[in-house]
Amino acid sequence: MTALVQGCELCALAAGTVPPGARLVFEHEKFVVILADEPNYPGFARVVWRAHVREMSDLDDDDRLLVNDAVYKLELAVIDAMQPLKVNVASLGNVVPHLHWHVIPRYADDAHFPAPVWAQPMRAADPAVLAARRALLPELAQAIERHLTTR
């Protein structure tokens, strides 16, 4: 495994230091899955590669297939539990150049829809709707475990 990089927040996460508010929901020897602390986006999850690599092309074929499968199964879990209109999947890494994938449930009434969640908000999210979606997080954690532990 590539050495962890001091000061990289995702290396810290991969080594077991979960950011405040986030929740570690699945661990594999090569990646972890967390539910991020995104108040306007309950169910916003990340697959974080444990080793400090910048790009998918830094992985060997088996690892590339493994992380792609993890992202795919996470998307299925998000769909099962959260019932979004759409799921956004992104791997940017411009701010934190450590391989990770965002898997984000999207709804027509979310604060940014149809724009990306990183754009300017288009509306305020309804607190009652957000609370109802947050109530689904235990079900999402179970769906993640179920999907990622089956072939």
Side-chain angles (χ1 to χ4, degrees):
M1 170 149 79
T2 304
L4 302 180
V5 173
Q6 185 73 22
C8 173
E9 65 188 76
L10 293 183
C11 280
L13 171 62
T17 303
V18 180
R23 183 170 154 213
L24 182 66
V25 291
F26 187 82
E27 289 190 82
H28 182 276
E29 69 180 77
K30 295 199 173 193
F31 65 87
V32 296
V33 177
I34 64 163
L35 293 178
D37 182 18
E38 297 287 344
N40 282 321
Y41 292 94
F44 187 133
R46 292 187 181 100
V47 174
V48 180
W49 196 250
R50 285 188 185 268
H52 187 85
V53 298
R54 297 171 76 90
E55 310 295 346
M56 288 284 288
S57 57
D58 293 331
L59 300 177
D60 65 28
D61 287 346
D62 288 342
D63 285 345
R64 179 182 45 78
L65 292 171
L66 177 67
V67 75
N68 274 305
D69 191 57
V71 171
Y72 164 73
K73 288 178 177 179
L74 178 56
E75 179 182 306
L76 290 175
V78 167
I79 290 168
D80 284 353
M82 304 301 292
Q83 298 293 303
L85 174 65
K86 177 75 177 88
V87 177
N88 289 171
V89 176
S91 178
L92 305 172
N94 297 334
V95 175
V96 181
H98 179 123
L99 185 63
H100 64 288
W101 289 86
H102 304 268
V103 178
I104 311 162
R106 299 299 307 277
Y107 307 88
D109 62 354
D110 75 39
H112 295 86
F113 197 86
V117 298
W118 297 284
Q120 290 287 24
M122 303 178 110
R123 68 194 63 79
D126 180 334
V129 170
L130 291 174
R133 289 180 184 145
R134 272 192 287 282
L136 297 172
L137 294 179
E139 183 180 332
L140 175 57
Q142 291 173 351
I144 291 168
E145 178 75 23
R146 188 171 59 252
H147 280 280
L148 287 167
T149 56
T150 60
R151 287 205 170 268

